[in-house]
Amino acid sequence: MKKILIIDDEVNVGLLLSKFLTRNGFEITTAANGSAGMECLKKEEYDLVLCDFRLEDTDGREMLKNIKALYPKTGVIIITGYSDIKMAVELIKMGAYDYITKPLYPDEILNTINKAIETQYALQESAGSDYSSTKPASSKENKKQVLTAEFVVGTSKASKELYRQIELVAPTNYSVIILGESGTGKESVAKSIHMNSPRANEPFVAMDCGSLTKELAASEFFGHEKGSFTGALYTKIGHFEMANGGTLFLDEVGNLSYEIQAALLRTVQERKVKRIGSTKEIDLDVRIIIATNENLQDGINKGRFREDLYHRFNEFSIFMPPLRERGNDIMMLAEHFLKVANQELDRNVTSFSPDVVECFMNYRWQGNIRELKNVVRRATLLTEGNEITMKTLPLEISNYRVSAFESSPSAANNEQKEAKHDLKNAALGAEHETILRVLREVNFNKTKAAEILNIDRKTLYNKMKAINLK
């Protein structure tokens, strides 16, 4: 259970936040002033701190410094009833994850908290890394440490070439396009470029363009003033302004509307941004890194993506190799994700069975690193002993191994046919055992079981019927 410390001298605000977050699965501690908050922090570490900016004995700026001095990797969200854009930017540059104004809206605060914890967890995935150091990397050795913070440094030829390009482009101010399939780790590469650059001490702001509606995109990019349109209940800082001095990472940029692309082009060309409803222009010093799994050249040819914007972005391009082309990197990554899952789930799973290793090395991994991570986490949860076996893998992966064996030209003689038959039966038996175990764990809740098994309810019913379960 994630632990959150709330520091607010308004008792009602602290109480309401505490009740709301407790209902959403967090362990909450509250403190009525800065001194009490620091006493709590000296006793234990929290996953996140929500701190009011104006406290009776100090302010949010001082609290942020003190919290970061104790726990550099702990996320901090500053809350205030006063909208001050300059202060917000300053606090974010000092290390705050976000700055939000009262009144607080449940969906907004919960979304911000979840993103903050997810971000901080990612920074801590590689124990002992120098990722959160306040000192920028200045040597090749330090740069290598930064590269390992978000992902394992592979030994394959494709991985070595990838890391060579990161080290080449990172110290420059070039805009970068990162190309590759979904799940290959494009955001991790963008963070490594940022952390190896002279901007390492400045904000790294990531933005998922694929989730933006046409109506909200301008506000998310450029921000807005309170009352500038219906529903603008508070002043919002846009992502460009939040990233000022640092790096702005735009994921799935090919999904942006043509109108927003035009506004982006102007901002990138002039290096100025104007919030919606404001007449004041703000100077920008932002490095832009974009990522896409689409063919932007094809988008240009079909009139969906602006060619002039593409060339503004494409000062340097990096191709992310799919996981299936990274050879021994697959098991290096799997071992890394196993360590992370053990920490997350408080387990002690130590290895993968030879069958699982063979399966991992031959599987296509259409979801790439993201799919591998999810498979390892799921298998760790289902494993009862110290070794991950075939019966803990999702059905599509265990069945894929059987199909691959069946299509092998070497399976010609009777002995191999028998082995194939035994292997298929073993896979089906493992599948049935996994289904039964999951059903028992969720007290035969079929909806939850189908979700864990990554199949639909109809498929689950059919498989239950095959093993005489109702």
Side-chain angles (χ1 to χ4, degrees):
M1 184 179 290
K2 301 298 183 183
K3 296 188 294 184
I4 298 177
L5 173 63
I6 300 171
I7 307 173
D8 199 316
D9 52 12
E10 291 187 40
V11 178
N12 289 338
V13 173
L15 184 61
L16 289 172
L17 267 178
S18 178
K19 288 182 177 180
F20 171 69
L21 295 175
T22 299
R23 287 198 304 270
N24 281 277
F26 297 100
E27 181 182 331
I28 305 299
T29 303
T30 59
N33 54 49
S35 298
M38 291 311 299
E39 286 300 317
C40 292
L41 286 160
K42 288 173 184 177
K43 293 176 183 176
E44 62 178 317
E45 185 174 2
Y46 294 86
D47 296 287
L48 186 71
V49 178
L50 299 177
C51 184
D52 191 29
F53 183 78
R54 295 180 185 268
L55 298 167
E56 61 182 25
D57 57 347
T58 185
D59 63 26
R61 188 192 297 105
E62 196 63 30
M63 285 298 297
L64 180 59
K65 288 180 183 177
N66 294 337
I67 294 167
K68 288 296 182 180
L70 275 177
Y71 302 111
K73 295 182 180 180
T74 296
V76 181
I77 296 175
I78 302 295
I79 301 173
T80 182
Y82 306 88
S83 181
D84 185 333
I85 302 304
K86 288 183 179 179
M87 182 59 64
V89 174
E90 180 185 346
L91 288 168
I92 289 170
K93 287 185 176 181
M94 287 171 60
Y97 176 79
D98 208 344
Y99 176 104
I100 53 180
T101 56
K102 298 175 183 176
L104 303 177
Y105 299 94
D107 289 343
E108 178 192 351
I109 191 72
L110 185 61
N111 184 49
T112 303
I113 286 171
N114 285 331
K115 285 184 177 179
I117 289 177
E118 182 182 341
T119 299
Q120 296 309 124
Y121 179 74
L123 299 184
Q124 296 175 44
E125 276 193 348
S126 183
S129 71
D130 197 36
Y131 189 90
S132 295
S133 169
T134 56
K135 189 180 293 184
S138 57
S139 67
K140 288 188 176 181
E141 181 180 358
N142 284 338
K143 287 180 180 179
K144 209 66 173 179
Q145 290 176 343
V146 171
L147 285 173
T148 62
E150 282 285 297
F151 48 86
V152 174
V153 177
T155 58
S156 68
K157 183 178 178 180
S159 293
K160 288 178 180 178
E161 175 58 21
L162 169 64
Y163 304 136
R164 186 186 74 83
Q165 292 185 28
I166 291 172
E167 290 188 345
L168 281 174
V169 77
T172 73
N173 260 331
Y174 286 5
S175 295
V176 180
I177 295 181
I178 304 175
L179 306 166
E181 297 177 9
S182 292
T184 48
K186 295 188 284 293
E187 183 170 349
S188 296
V189 167
K191 287 180 181 177
S192 289
I193 293 172
H194 172 74
M195 292 305 298
N196 281 279
S197 76
R199 300 174 182 265
N201 290 336
E202 301 298 331
F204 175 88
V205 178
M207 187 173 181
D208 181 8
C209 300
S211 64
L212 290 177
T213 64
K214 181 179 178 181
E215 293 74 19
L216 290 177
S219 175
E220 291 295 320
F221 275 117
F222 313 121
H224 63 251
E225 295 289 351
K226 180 178 180 181
S228 57
F229 56 86
T230 302
L233 302 177
Y234 56 92
T235 297
K236 179 181 178 63
I237 302 173
H239 283 68
F240 269 103
E241 200 172 343
M242 283 194 286
N244 209 359
T247 302
L248 178 61
F249 172 64
L250 305 178
D251 197 11
E252 302 305 343
V253 73
N255 292 318
L256 293 173
S257 69
Y258 211 77
E259 293 82 0
I260 290 298
Q261 291 176 36
L264 268 181
L265 177 64
R266 180 180 178 278
T267 300
V268 172
Q269 285 178 332
E270 299 184 7
R271 296 289 167 177
K272 294 179 184 293
V273 67
K274 186 192 298 181
R275 293 194 297 275
I276 298 172
S278 173
T279 57
K280 180 182 177 182
E281 289 190 325
I282 300 165
D283 292 329
L284 289 178
D285 174 23
V286 177
R287 181 183 196 169
I288 298 176
I289 301 177
I290 74 166
T292 180
N293 59 6
E294 297 182 9
N295 186 333
L296 293 183
Q297 286 285 1
D298 185 53
I300 291 170
N301 294 336
K302 293 180 178 178
R304 293 197 308 264
F305 200 85
R306 294 183 64 107
E307 185 173 9
D308 44 8
L309 182 61
Y310 172 79
H311 291 302
R312 283 285 178 181
F313 288 152
N314 192 27
E315 294 181 319
F316 191 87
S317 61
I318 292 176
F319 173 72
M320 295 292 297
L323 184 58
R324 56 188 171 274
E325 295 179 8
R326 292 180 58 175
N328 290 333
D329 292 355
I330 293 171
M331 289 315 300
M332 291 180 66
L333 285 160
E335 294 284 354
H336 172 69
F337 294 139
L338 177 58
K339 291 178 183 177
V340 173
N342 276 327
Q343 292 176 357
E344 179 186 354
L345 301 170
D346 195 23
R347 295 291 182 92
N348 189 30
V349 182
T350 57
S351 61
F352 301 87
S353 73
D355 282 352
V356 171
V357 174
E358 180 190 352
C359 182
F360 279 10
M361 294 298 292
N362 291 303
Y363 183 61
R364 291 289 294 168
W365 298 113
Q366 298 295 337
N368 292 292
I369 296 173
R370 185 184 297 120
E371 183 183 7
L372 174 62
K373 180 178 181 179
N374 290 339
V375 167
V376 173
R377 291 176 75 227
R378 176 188 184 277
T380 306
L381 177 64
L382 293 174
T383 296
E384 296 176 343
N386 295 325
E387 183 180 71
I388 289 177
T389 60
M390 289 294 294
K391 66 183 180 182
T392 63
L393 301 186
L395 304 180
E396 66 270 17
I397 295 182
S398 56
N399 288 343
Y400 180 89
R401 183 173 185 267
V402 174
S403 300
F405 193 97
E406 286 177 337
S407 63
S408 172
S410 64
N413 57 44
N414 289 335
E415 183 180 348
Q416 287 172 323
K417 287 180 180 179
E418 287 177 9
K420 174 189 69 177
H421 180 72
D422 290 343
L423 180 60
K424 185 170 184 178
N425 285 340
L428 289 172
E431 174 184 322
H432 295 161
E433 187 177 337
T434 299
I435 290 172
L436 186 57
R437 183 190 304 115
V438 170
L439 283 165
R440 284 171 177 165
E441 287 183 0
V442 298
N443 198 24
F444 282 82
N445 183 317
K446 297 178 183 62
T447 300
K448 288 185 179 179
E451 184 178 341
I452 292 173
L453 293 166
N454 198 26
I455 58 177
D456 57 45
R457 282 171 59 94
K458 183 177 179 181
T459 303
L460 176 60
Y461 279 121
N462 290 336
K463 292 183 180 296
M464 289 174 64
K465 185 177 180 182
I467 53 177
N468 296 320
L469 282 176
K470 294 182 179 180

